[in-house]
Amino acid sequence: MSTAAGGPAGGGIAPTQMIILGAVGGLAGIYLTMLNQAMDTTIFSFLGGIGAIFAAVWGADAVRRVCSYGLGTGVPSIGMVALGMGIVATMFGLTLPEVSGIPTIAGPIISFIVAAIIGLLIGLMSNKILMMNIPIMEKSMVEIAGAGALVMIGLSTAIAGSFDIVAIMPAVVETGFIALVFIGGAMTILHPFNACLGPDEKQDRTLGVAVSKGALIMALAGFASLAVESMDAMSGALTTIVGLVIWVVYFKRFMKHSHRDSYLVTGTGLLPTEEELE
Amino acid sequence: MVDPIVMDMGIVALTGALATIAGAAEDLESDVGSQSNPNSQVQLAAQMNFPHRIFNKAISGEPPAYGLWCASGATVASVLMAKEMSIFFAIAIGSFVAAIILGLFSVTAHMGRTASQKRFKQPAYMDMVIGHVPSIMAHGYIAIFCIVAFSYIMDHFMGHPFPLPLLAFLWGVAAGAIGSSTGDVHYGAEREFQNQPFGCGLNAAFSGNIVRKGEAGLRNGIDNVWACAKLGGPLTGLALGMTVFLDNWRTTVFEGMNTIIAGLIIVMILILANRMVEVKARKAYGPYKDEDGGEVA
């Protein structure tokens, strides 16, 4: 671990608020895509992408909180664990209604709950068996797994236009776009803290990266949906454009925050002198 | 009439050649920005009072990063192919989009890490961002193009059951893992600590004390890639090229159980060869000794 870390991470937005923002925002975005079926269109698919961004921000904040206990090189690993848990829970949760007769609408909630249970088990194993002894491990793993599942469902819904597994299987899994959803989702959760890691890391800057990267993957998901037969081109284009607009806004904000937080931003120059470093 | 096996072997050779170029470009791309293992020393340098002008591209480990670039490139290429675009242009445009995404991730990683080192007085030099990111994108483009291209060949000509984005993702992860394990040694151990005697190991007291001054002026990522292009890059290319070539060769030449047996024999030969190289190197260079002949490390 290369940072001066080892304690809880602070920041403007409290963990509880982040959980509400991510879980409610993520699920709301996913469920609002049901407007597609209600109005017999696919134009509302971009809302799945917005939901995925909310969940990614929550996931990135959870990674930030758990990794500030000294997981330097473990940051990417924890992101991959998130989506590993997320993909199992997502596929299970979305398929269960199809095979058991439960209404399809319950799919995302089942995925979310299953992800939380898997997260809790992994968290308990990390602390009790591997003896990592990180105080917030169990809670964080539940959060990361839940956020991972919501990011996956959100992005898949943005591509397929529905969270029904009957729509997701041909549009996302058989086309191979699941690879983009999996690794893109993982990177939106793990990259922000990895990119901003250091003793002077700030929550607003880190979470801004999560929004901009989530938006970038959302734009790609929109482009991918152009190859899906059940989606019309306008819906895919709208998802891409909305993603790009959010990306521009948050990338500019990130650069502003980087200038604010840096010791010195200069066009070019020599290294600081010995006197300056003292 | 050309014998089908000749045609098949030609395809296998082509995938091997593409993978060799991809591996070399992948490793060199990671060296421009100091990604993966050597990054910890770049990050540590500023914290140990050694500010530097070396790019700090802490996107993530190389395997997930290359998984994303290749999956993105292949996704865009698949969509364009589904819209009847020519295969060559579809892969070229897909790789270009992926290279742009790589550039954007590089900027956030470098600026984010530098800003988080405020207390160590590490300045953010904007000319470094402007100078390094195009080089990162250019190396990345070559790597992504080659990986997506040989994944397409496997998918369409060799009958691989996986769809293109998934196959490219898996090969991207493999390329990243090989680059991380093969090429990083040359950059991390040899280039960053060029001022230490060869084979001395890294004493904890030298942590973060990387070479910061170059042949002319202050050293940067472009200087590092110039040095690594001699050994680290080509070796990574050879490793990925051999992996792809040997794997495709055994599935093309053999059938059924024989494929698995051939695979096991190849792995055994490689393990033996590795052991022989290791023993030879230990005998030749041995433990690092000080001037009196006593073992130091």
Side-chain angles (χ1 to χ4, degrees):
Chain A
M1 179 63 190
S2 49
T3 62
I13 310 173
T16 327
Q17 286 170 302
M18 284 308 306
I19 295 170
I20 296 168
L21 185 80
V24 175
L27 283 170
I30 291 163
Y31 277 114
L32 278 172
T33 58
M34 289 178 77
L35 288 168
N36 280 342
Q37 286 79 48
M39 297 187 182
D40 197 22
T41 172
T42 53
I43 205 80
F44 295 106
S45 306
F46 75 96
L47 292 167
I50 305 272
I53 295 177
F54 274 105
V57 172
W58 171 31
D61 192 63
V63 166
R64 175 180 170 272
R65 273 180 273 130
V66 71
C67 290
S68 60
Y69 279 89
L71 294 178
T73 48
V75 180
S77 316
I78 231 162
M80 297 313 297
V81 167
L83 269 282
M85 297 186 283
I87 195 166
V88 173
T90 302
M91 287 302 151
F92 176 78
L94 296 185
T95 312
L96 196 64
E98 188 62 23
V99 295
S100 67
I102 303 169
T104 313
I105 194 169
I109 295 278
I110 297 172
S111 301
F112 188 55
I113 294 168
V114 172
I117 294 168
I118 300 175
L120 182 65
L121 288 176
I122 303 252
L124 283 170
M125 279 164 66
S126 311
N127 261 358
K128 306 288 181 216
I129 299 174
L130 298 175
M131 300 292 180
M132 290 176 86
N133 293 328
I134 295 172
I136 57 164
M137 193 68 176
E138 291 90 346
K139 182 173 169 280
S140 300
M141 290 314 273
V142 169
E143 289 184 48
I144 291 169
L150 291 184
V151 169
M152 284 211 58
I153 302 172
L155 290 173
S156 301
T157 310
I159 295 175
S162 161
F163 53 75
D164 191 338
I165 195 74
V166 178
I168 286 182
M169 277 309 276
V172 184
V173 180
E174 284 165 22
T175 51
F177 297 149
I178 190 84
L180 175 74
V181 170
F182 174 75
I183 194 71
M187 289 290 267
T188 55
I189 289 180
L190 72 90
H191 173 73
F193 184 69
N194 204 44
C196 297
L197 188 146
D200 298 310
E201 181 263 354
K202 296 273 191 306
Q203 190 195 37
D204 57 352
R205 182 155 48 89
T206 304
L207 299 188
V209 177
V211 178
S212 74
K213 292 300 179 281
L216 209 55
I217 304 300
M218 174 187 167
L220 271 176
F223 191 77
S225 74
L226 294 176
V228 177
E229 277 178 24
S230 57
M231 296 281 288
D232 69 54
M234 268 304 288
S235 312
L238 183 67
T239 309
T240 304
I241 291 166
V242 171
L244 287 176
V245 169
I246 298 173
W247 171 76
V248 168
V249 172
Y250 276 85
F251 186 74
K252 283 171 92 170
R253 199 163 156 244
F254 165 79
M255 290 306 279
K256 214 167 92 185
H257 285 165
S258 296
H259 279 65
R260 176 198 71 190
D261 295 340
S262 293
Y263 163 66
L264 168 74
V265 179
T266 172
T268 186
L270 295 171
L271 300 177
T273 58
E274 294 283 328
E275 292 77 42
E276 276 180 84
L277 288 173
E278 277 168 12
Chain B
M1 179 72 189
V2 182
D3 190 339
I5 192 73
V6 175
M7 201 64 190
D8 288 348
M9 287 312 292
I11 292 170
V12 171
L14 183 61
T15 57
L18 282 168
T20 307
I21 302 167
E26 191 279 341
D27 180 58
L28 297 178
E29 182 273 317
S30 84
D31 292 339
V32 182
S34 304
Q35 198 175 349
S36 205
N37 304 306
N39 178 272
S40 57
Q41 291 297 322
V42 174
Q43 171 79 6
L44 207 54
Q47 307 190 6
M48 303 301 283
N49 241 8
F50 301 115
H52 54 80
R53 271 176 61 89
I54 294 169
F55 202 86
N56 192 343
K57 184 162 70 80
I59 294 171
S60 71
E62 281 178 60
Y66 264 84
L68 178 60
W69 319 144
C70 294
S72 312
T75 297
V76 173
S78 310
V79 174
L80 294 175
M81 280 182 227
K83 299 286 171 199
E84 315 270 306
M85 186 181 262
S86 89
I87 295 155
F88 183 79
F89 279 107
I91 297 176
I93 294 171
S95 309
F96 180 64
V97 172
I100 291 174
I101 296 171
L102 161 60
L104 295 173
F105 271 76
S106 306
V107 173
T108 46
H110 176 70
M111 290 303 291
R113 284 256 172 148
T114 310
S116 294
Q117 291 186 317
K118 184 179 188 175
R119 70 184 65 179
F120 305 114
K121 301 181 179 174
Q122 168 66 45
Y125 301 104
M126 295 312 284
D127 64 325
M128 275 177 60
V129 177
I130 296 162
H132 284 67
V133 172
S135 178
I136 288 167
M137 286 169 62
H139 284 89
Y141 175 84
I142 299 169
I144 299 159
F145 180 87
C146 293
I147 294 169
V148 176
F150 77 69
S151 301
Y152 177 82
I153 291 172
M154 283 182 189
D155 193 32
H156 284 253
F157 297 108
M158 300 166 103
H160 200 289
F162 286 6
L164 179 62
L166 196 55
L167 199 56
F169 161 69
L170 292 173
W171 277 114
V173 171
I178 289 171
S180 184
S181 56
T182 312
D184 280 4
V185 182
H186 190 234
Y187 172 38
E190 302 306 326
R191 184 68 173 167
E192 279 187 343
F193 293 96
Q194 206 174 358
N195 53 350
Q196 308 290 343
F198 180 76
C200 74
L202 179 58
N203 191 313
F206 296 135
S207 260
N209 190 5
I210 54 174
V211 177
R212 297 173 298 147
K213 289 176 183 165
E215 289 73 6
L218 295 167
R219 180 174 284 184
N220 58 31
I222 315 277
D223 297 328
N224 287 333
V225 76
W226 168 79
C228 294
K230 193 175 174 186
L231 280 173
L235 274 178
T236 311
L238 208 59
L240 183 63
M242 267 177 68
T243 308
V244 172
F245 177 78
L246 290 175
D247 192 44
N248 288 335
W249 174 79
R250 77 187 171 99
T251 47
T252 306
V253 174
F254 301 106
E255 274 181 6
M257 270 306 283
N258 289 347
T259 315
I260 298 167
I261 295 167
L264 285 173
I265 293 171
I266 292 170
V267 170
M268 297 283 281
I269 293 171
L270 287 176
I271 290 172
L272 276 174
N274 266 317
R275 180 68 191 155
M276 281 161 72
V277 170
E278 189 191 339
V279 170
K280 198 181 170 198
R282 277 183 189 280
K283 273 190 186 149
Y285 304 108
Y288 181 66
K289 295 185 173 62
D290 65 13
E291 286 170 2
D292 306 326
E295 284 188 14
V296 174

